[in-house]
Amino acid sequence: MLDKMMNVPISQQQLDLWLADLNLIAGISNCKATLLTWNAVGELSSLLCSDAVVENEIQAILTQLSGRNIANPNPTTTSSAFTTDRYIKDYAAQNTIQDKRVSLSEPILQSSPLEVNQHCTFLSPSQLSALVGEAELITDTQLHPAWCTSIVIGSVIFIPLAWPSGANFGFLCFYHNEPQGVDAKTLQLTKLVGDSIQRQLADILRLHNATESLNRGTPNNIDVIDLQSFIDSFDEHIWMKNTYGIYTLCNRSVEQAWAKQRNEIIGHSDVELFGADTADSYLEGDRFAIESGTPIIVAECLAGAESKPHLWLETLKLPAFNAAGEFAGVIGMTRNISKYKAVEDKLTLATNVFKHSFEGVVVTDRHGNITDVNGAFFEITGYTREELLGQNPRIFSSGRHDKAFFDTLWSTLLADGKWNGEVWNRRKNGTIFPQNITISTIYDEVGDIRYFVAVFADISAQKENEAQLTHLAYFDPLTHLPNRMKFMMQLKQEVRHAKRLNIQLAIVMIDVDLFKHINDSFGHSIGDEMLVELAKRLRGQVAGQDVLSRIGGDEFVVLISGIDSSDDATIAINQLRQVFEQPFIVSTGDHLRLTASMGVSLYPSDGQDAATLLRNADAAMYRAKNDGRNNYAFYTESLTQLSLEHLKLQSALYGAIEQNALYLMYQPKLDLVTRKTVGFEALLRWHDPLLGLISPSVFIPVAEKIGLIHEIGLWVLETACRQGVRWLSDGKHFGRIAVNVAGQQLQRSSFVDDVKRVLAETGLPAKHLELEVTESVMMQNPDVAISDLKRLGDLGIELSVDDFGTGYSSLNYLKKLPIHKLKIDQSFVRDIPFDTNNTAIAKAVIALGHALKLEIIAEGVETQEQADFLLQNKCDQAQGYLFSRPQLPQDLDAFLS
């Protein structure tokens, strides 16, 4: 057995004797015992244990005493009977010089002393026996502030043990699982064992030193120079102090560094040489070296004034012992390690950057042969390091770039020393992938090329996300037809073309009659099947140069180009009507029939621009519906006037707030993993005394058109906030209340101030409010939106992008928006996991959101299959009929905790 702190072997026979003593006292006192020792890195472990000791009991003691070691690593200073302060006072009483301390790091070039958070005390042989008197008896650990967490230990005695040099050896512990299990009688017996071990440690050390001295032999005086000449030969600063902290030896380098003659140093203490404050810090290092019992580096510090180059200094200290193994003093050596430190820092930085970079890095020699690659390169390309070393990067060639491309690359690289661009390369498995790469030239000291370094990032995911978002932005995810935005772009282009060629166009708006009944009766999945089939049939009836688009749930629009008259439009409409003649056979086996109302506007007679043409076709379509459905109508000027129903709706809406006809319902949002409520979405409802219950999809567009949406929006915000305050007052936890923000609200310059005012007046903390804004609204004026949303976010309000994927999203602006959540529109949730298009879009949105460190919430979750799919793909939250329909506040107790 070897004690690592003193490097002194302890025989097995000695250990057996100690164990016998532990078992004897443990048996007499009906308790348990263990001998704990420190290792060289300050870890405490059990060396010997008496019978019946349990591992978790030892662990509890180790944890407690190790904790004491952190606060005060020298076990000899645990009681007031023998402390550092007492030692200093005893020494001061014996010497005329006050506060003589031993140095930590002697000043070189007037370096500032280090502050070391270590404390240790060295002892003379005569003081070792006092250690046994430092035993601590704790009869009830639960009443002791430091031991109350040790539930398996009821009472304990521990005695610190040390080598004659003062270096720590460990602790002797006797304990019982119950309080009052050890007492004063046990303490007396424990001290006897501790005193015995303490004396035997001194004997072991003396025998060890005598044996070592004998083995080393007697030096030949002819070959030995005097000690002073020897240490003067070193550039390092070497010194020695005795047990009282008085310098007894120093070399010439110390004299030069401290600007003092040897006779001004020898015989003096640190207090006399450097002052009490500096000397106080030096004492700590000496004590740390003495406590460890081995040579250690006690300081590594910067030295030098700000106006001069800084120097890194390293101080090595070790305790010195005489032939009897008694402590004789401290030897110190300080050297300049600035060169090594600078090189070490640079190498460490370069190695860590190279090793931990997420980008692939490849280094080649001047001939282009690979000399090194980092770990990310292996992961991206699939090649191992051994397969790449010595190879030329042309092994990654995808074949997508011609010779001219590489000629330009190399000419730029050689001329400018750097090239950046996008390159398609090939992985080991044969797949090609895009990468954004920067190649740099590294020159040697004479300006010749030595290396080329290429750093690249795999942008495959970015390319895929961009493609998916582009498709989401311009195409309907269900039918894959152009959406409204794409259709308007094409219509504008065709209008310009028709104006230039002086030809006519026809716009046909198609609305499926009573399609809501299909969804209500057979479910949305059957409804979607029919829409997909309808799109397929309509596409078959549209000429190649014409455009078919789905612009709404059951609304399609067709752009017919190159017509000469309304008769040509009539022929085209009749062809479109033919798709409704055959029944739609759905997956349930049912044969369902559909009809449609169609409206037609003509260019240039019914409008000179795309927006007017589409609006007038829509008006004509509503006329066809009013005429009995399953019909079509051409646009006339009279259709631009508001219908009687619209006028009634508009008039009623003006008085809705005053008449308390508006109210809010709340739909819970749940964490998909825990199924716990994380918030509610406030949903606006309107029940007019005369018109009855009116859908938000009907009256909100009217409110936006007549300019009431801002007033209604503020009412919704204030009402939701007051409800949140009532819940908080009742002790109900609801997370956040989400309120939808209309485009016209966000566009108002006063919107942020309005939100602040509502929060202040209602008293709702901002951390309980969430605002949902559609992506199309934010993209109308993204710079202003970013500024306003950031101000709202700074208040503590959470911000969500509602109906994500249904409009146009700019990745460039999306990553800049100060948002917290993306909300997957219910049109993408519908039919998952059975519809491959919707599942692909949902996965893409979740992946994109998490890449931007956003939470993802899915709306419209109606089936367990949808919830399971979203959970498997790491969607964070969900809301929908599967969990709860929108409800009044008084009906939500089940979701409030």
Side-chain angles (χ1 to χ4, degrees):
M1 182 62 65
L2 185 70
D3 183 274
K4 295 183 178 179
M5 299 192 71
M6 287 297 297
N7 198 28
V8 178
I10 300 177
S11 68
Q12 186 60 48
Q13 180 182 7
Q14 183 64 67
L15 294 175
D16 293 341
L17 291 174
W18 288 347
L19 180 59
D21 290 343
L22 264 60
N23 281 320
L24 177 63
I25 303 303
I28 293 173
S29 302
N30 191 28
C31 62
K32 305 175 187 179
T34 180
L35 178 60
L36 310 173
T37 57
W38 297 100
N39 63 21
V41 295
E43 296 173 341
L44 196 61
S45 61
S46 176
L47 180 63
L48 298 172
C49 293
S50 67
D51 298 336
V53 167
V54 181
E55 182 178 352
N56 69 325
E57 299 168 351
I58 297 300
Q59 189 58 49
I61 297 174
L62 288 173
T63 300
Q64 177 59 37
L65 294 181
S66 295
R68 295 172 61 89
N69 183 51
I70 293 170
N72 182 3
N74 184 9
T76 66
T77 59
T78 56
S79 99
S80 60
F82 188 77
T83 64
T84 300
D85 291 338
R86 175 180 172 184
Y87 167 72
I88 294 172
K89 291 176 182 178
D90 290 343
Y91 169 72
Q94 300 169 12
N95 299 271
T96 57
I97 301 173
Q98 295 296 319
D99 263 352
K100 290 194 175 183
R101 315 267 175 118
V102 196
S103 70
L104 161 65
S105 171
E106 280 54 35
I108 298 177
L109 301 180
Q110 301 302 314
S111 63
S112 301
L114 280 181
E115 183 164 338
V116 178
N117 295 320
Q118 300 282 350
H119 303 276
C120 55
T121 301
F122 54 85
L123 312 175
S124 67
S126 61
Q127 294 168 322
L128 287 175
S129 59
L131 282 174
V132 179
E134 302 306 305
E136 184 167 341
L137 168 62
I138 301 173
T139 57
D140 190 344
T141 58
Q142 298 305 302
L143 301 179
H144 193 281
W147 284 80
C148 59
T149 57
S150 302
I151 58 175
V152 298
I153 306 298
S155 54
V156 64
I157 298 170
F158 58 93
I159 297 177
L161 302 173
W163 292 95
S165 62
N168 294 319
F169 179 77
F171 289 96
L172 179 61
C173 294
F174 285 80
Y175 67 94
H176 200 281
N177 301 110
E178 302 296 332
Q180 311 299 329
V182 293
D183 51 19
K185 178 182 178 182
T186 308
L187 178 61
Q188 292 177 349
L189 295 173
T190 303
K191 288 183 178 181
L192 291 175
V193 176
D195 184 58
S196 174
I197 293 175
Q198 193 72 69
R199 289 194 302 273
Q200 290 168 33
L201 287 174
D203 294 338
I204 291 169
L205 182 59
R206 278 193 295 270
L207 179 61
H208 172 74
N209 289 337
T211 302
E212 268 202 343
S213 177
L214 182 62
N215 291 337
R216 293 177 64 191
T218 304
N220 189 340
N221 293 330
I222 299 176
D223 300 326
V224 177
I225 64 173
D226 66 275
L227 178 60
Q228 188 64 51
S229 299
F230 176 75
I231 63 173
D232 281 343
S233 303
F234 290 89
D235 291 330
E236 288 80 0
H237 310 286
I238 301 172
W239 46 262
M240 181 174 177
K241 288 180 286 189
N242 62 19
T243 57
Y244 298 109
I246 303 300
Y247 286 94
T248 59
L249 189 71
C250 70
N251 69 348
R252 193 178 305 278
S253 294
V254 171
E255 298 177 51
Q256 294 172 350
W258 297 357
K260 297 179 184 295
Q261 295 294 325
R262 188 154 60 96
N263 57 8
E264 296 177 291
I265 299 173
I266 303 303
H268 296 277
S269 69
D270 291 311
V271 174
E272 296 171 310
L273 295 174
F274 312 116
D277 291 340
T278 300
D280 188 45
S281 64
Y282 292 164
L283 175 64
E284 309 301 332
D286 285 347
R287 289 180 174 171
F288 188 36
I290 296 164
E291 184 185 43
S292 69
T294 58
I296 59 170
I297 296 174
V298 296
E300 189 177 271
C301 63
L302 278 170
E306 292 184 359
S307 59
K308 298 180 181 180
H310 280 41
L311 297 176
W312 276 98
L313 306 175
E314 177 183 85
T315 300
L316 175 74
K317 291 189 177 182
L318 65 156
F321 306 96
N322 59 23
E326 298 175 344
F327 175 66
V330 176
I331 299 173
M333 181 177 71
T334 301
R335 61 173 182 159
N336 184 349
I337 59 168
S338 299
K339 293 188 302 181
Y340 310 107
K341 196 69 177 177
V343 172
E344 177 187 348
D345 289 345
K346 289 180 180 179
L347 287 175
T348 300
L349 177 61
T351 300
N352 283 321
V353 169
F354 186 77
K355 180 179 179 181
H356 298 293
S357 174
F358 286 106
E359 289 80 16
V361 182
V362 57
V363 182
T364 74
D365 59 22
R366 60 191 302 270
H367 303 293
N369 298 317
I370 296 174
T371 61
D372 204 358
V373 291
N374 71 341
F377 193 97
F378 308 149
E379 297 175 4
I380 295 173
T381 66
Y383 288 94
T384 65
R385 178 185 178 86
E386 292 71 21
E387 291 173 321
L388 293 174
L389 295 182
Q391 296 288 338
N392 190 284
R394 67 173 62 94
I395 66 173
F396 310 120
S397 177
S398 65
R400 283 200 173 191
H401 306 287
D402 56 18
K403 183 176 182 298
F405 173 84
F406 289 106
D407 288 344
T408 302
L409 184 157
W410 279 106
S411 61
T412 303
L413 181 60
L414 295 176
D416 302 337
K418 181 174 290 188
W419 182 88
N420 173 261
E422 188 175 299
V423 176
W424 286 80
N425 272 335
R426 188 178 302 275
R427 307 183 203 272
K428 182 181 178 181
N429 61 11
T431 60
I432 60 175
F433 68 101
Q435 56 182 215
N436 186 289
I437 186 169
T438 298
I439 307 175
S440 302
T441 307
I442 308 299
Y443 302 95
D444 61 19
E445 59 275 5
V446 296
D448 292 334
I449 295 175
R450 187 168 185 180
Y451 298 109
F452 294 106
V453 178
V455 180
F456 70 89
D458 183 352
I459 56 174
S460 301
Q462 177 183 332
K463 289 285 186 181
E464 291 174 4
N465 288 337
E466 288 175 354
Q468 291 174 352
L469 287 174
T470 299
H471 188 80
L472 289 174
Y474 292 110
F475 293 88
D476 170 48
L478 179 64
T479 64
H480 300 292
L481 294 175
N483 61 13
R484 180 185 291 271
M485 180 174 292
K486 180 68 172 177
F487 179 78
M488 291 302 293
M489 293 170 60
Q490 292 174 304
L491 179 55
K492 291 176 182 178
Q493 182 178 342
E494 287 298 322
V495 167
R496 289 192 294 268
H497 182 68
K499 185 177 297 184
R500 186 170 62 253
L501 299 181
N502 195 26
I503 59 176
Q504 294 188 64
L505 302 173
I507 311 299
V508 182
M509 182 73 72
I510 305 170
D511 184 86
V512 180
D513 295 328
L514 303 175
F515 190 74
K516 184 176 183 295
H517 293 173
I518 298 292
N519 285 333
D520 291 344
S521 302
F522 295 91
H524 287 286
S525 60
I526 298 299
D528 286 350
E529 283 185 36
M530 299 182 71
L531 289 174
V532 171
E533 176 62 21
L534 176 57
K536 180 180 178 180
R537 294 182 183 186
L538 289 172
R539 193 183 295 113
Q541 295 295 89
V542 172
Q545 72 274 14
D546 298 336
V547 179
L548 171 65
S549 171
R550 183 191 179 203
I551 62 172
D554 56 3
E555 289 186 335
F556 297 82
V557 63
V558 181
L559 166 61
I560 304 172
S561 60
I563 65 172
D564 295 327
S565 65
S566 60
D567 292 338
D568 293 337
T570 301
I571 294 173
I573 292 170
N574 287 330
Q575 289 178 337
L576 294 173
R577 286 166 57 84
Q578 291 176 10
V579 306
F580 297 95
E581 294 177 358
Q582 299 297 322
F584 292 78
I585 304 174
V586 296
S587 58
T588 60
D590 294 301
H591 290 56
L592 305 177
R593 289 188 176 273
L594 296 177
T595 62
S597 301
M598 301 183 186
V600 188
S601 65
L602 302 176
Y603 171 85
S605 59
D606 295 334
Q608 302 289 320
D609 59 77
T612 302
L613 288 168
L614 190 63
R615 182 174 65 248
N616 291 342
D618 188 64
M621 181 268 295
Y622 275 104
R623 179 187 170 197
K625 278 186 174 294
N626 293 334
D627 289 344
R629 297 187 175 87
N630 193 22
N631 199 357
Y632 71 91
F634 282 88
Y635 172 77
T636 62
E637 183 63 28
S638 61
L639 292 178
T640 61
Q641 304 299 319
L642 290 173
S643 66
L644 178 61
E645 290 76 14
H646 183 80
L647 287 174
K648 289 181 180 178
L649 188 66
Q650 178 178 321
S651 300
L653 193 57
Y654 275 108
I657 296 179
E658 290 77 11
Q659 297 171 0
N660 293 322
L662 297 177
Y663 62 99
L664 294 183
M665 300 187 78
Y666 300 84
Q667 187 173 40
K669 298 181 180 181
L670 279 72
D671 185 297
L672 271 173
V673 176
T674 64
R675 297 299 172 96
K676 292 184 179 179
T677 305
V678 295
F680 295 88
E681 182 178 6
L683 299 171
L684 179 62
R685 297 292 184 263
W686 179 23
H687 189 279
D688 185 84
L690 298 177
L691 302 178
L693 187 63
I694 304 169
S695 170
S697 62
V698 174
F699 70 82
I700 287 180
V702 175
E704 291 178 337
K705 186 173 181 180
I706 63 179
L708 278 179
I709 193 64
H710 183 69
E711 180 182 353
I712 293 175
L714 285 180
W715 179 88
V716 171
L717 178 63
E718 182 177 349
T719 303
C721 289
R722 293 194 185 280
Q723 180 60 55
V725 171
R726 282 193 290 273
W727 278 336
L728 291 175
S729 299
D730 294 338
K732 298 176 179 178
H733 302 285
F734 57 88
R736 293 179 183 265
I737 295 180
V739 176
N740 289 279
V741 178
Q744 295 179 17
Q745 287 181 273
L746 190 61
Q747 291 167 7
R748 284 206 176 193
S749 59
S750 62
F751 178 68
V752 176
D753 294 329
D754 290 337
V755 174
K756 289 182 180 179
R757 177 180 55 77
V758 170
L759 289 174
E761 290 176 356
T762 61
L764 180 71
K767 68 179 181 179
H768 291 296
L769 178 62
E770 176 182 340
L771 297 180
E772 294 187 3
V773 185
T774 60
E775 59 180 329
S776 57
V777 168
M778 291 185 288
M779 291 302 106
Q780 291 175 3
N781 194 345
D783 293 328
V784 174
I786 290 172
S787 175
D788 287 347
L789 293 176
K790 186 177 187 304
R791 291 172 61 195
L792 292 169
D794 291 341
L795 296 176
I797 299 172
E798 194 162 82
L799 304 169
S800 302
V801 178
D802 195 14
D803 299 337
F804 182 75
T806 60
Y808 173 75
S809 295
S810 167
L811 281 178
N812 184 44
Y813 280 108
L814 186 62
K815 68 181 182 180
K816 295 179 182 178
L817 289 170
I819 56 178
H820 307 90
K821 289 182 181 177
L822 290 184
K823 198 169 188 180
I824 305 176
D825 186 68
Q826 60 181 345
S827 63
F828 302 142
V829 176
R830 187 183 304 133
D831 284 352
I832 60 174
F834 308 107
D835 184 289
T836 56
N837 296 317
N838 279 3
T839 56
I841 292 168
K843 287 181 179 180
V845 173
I846 293 171
L848 174 65
H850 285 166
L852 295 175
K853 294 182 172 56
L854 303 176
E855 286 187 304
I856 307 299
I857 179 170
E859 62 180 356
V861 179
E862 297 181 352
T863 68
Q864 187 60 48
E865 290 81 3
Q866 292 170 347
D868 292 340
F869 171 86
L870 293 167
L871 178 61
Q872 291 169 6
N873 286 276
K874 302 188 185 308
C875 182
D876 304 298
Q877 300 172 15
Q879 66 183 99
Y881 286 1
L882 175 64
F883 311 108
S884 173
R885 292 176 177 268
Q887 300 184 53
L888 294 171
Q890 60 267 28
D891 300 325
L892 290 169
D893 286 344
F895 295 92
L896 292 165
S897 58

